[in-house]
Amino acid sequence: NGSISVEVSPQHIHAGDVLHIAKGPMSVISLETEAMGTVTLIEHEPTVMQTAYGLLSDLITVLQQRKSP
């Protein structure tokens, strides 16, 4: 049916998990891809401006996708 489902919530991760690298103010995202396998991005010491930009960008994307046929 073309729908996409996502979930964002706190999760317990084990010490061997790649996401466990985050210590202090860090953002980590790990994506599973078909072409490149696992791709992990790490942002060191994000600022309030970066967080606000990310939120605004996500909201704009959601609104644009809702307008698309």
Side-chain angles (χ1 to χ4, degrees):
N1 68 10
S3 67
I4 297 175
S5 177
V6 298
E7 178 181 333
V8 177
S9 65
Q11 300 287 321
H12 179 76
I13 56 175
H14 59 86
D17 192 299
V18 68
L19 298 177
H20 199 264
I21 193 172
K23 303 281 190 251
M26 294 177 77
S27 298
V28 181
I29 186 169
S30 188
L31 307 169
E32 296 292 329
T33 69
E34 290 180 17
M36 298 187 307
T38 303
V39 176
T40 303
L41 301 170
I42 302 169
E43 178 183 28
H44 298 275
E45 300 183 20
T47 65
V48 172
M49 182 66 87
Q50 290 163 315
T51 303
Y53 174 81
L55 179 59
L56 178 60
S57 175
D58 290 347
L59 289 173
I60 291 170
T61 300
V62 167
L63 291 173
Q64 287 174 337
Q65 290 177 353
R66 292 178 92 193
K67 291 181 181 180
S68 298

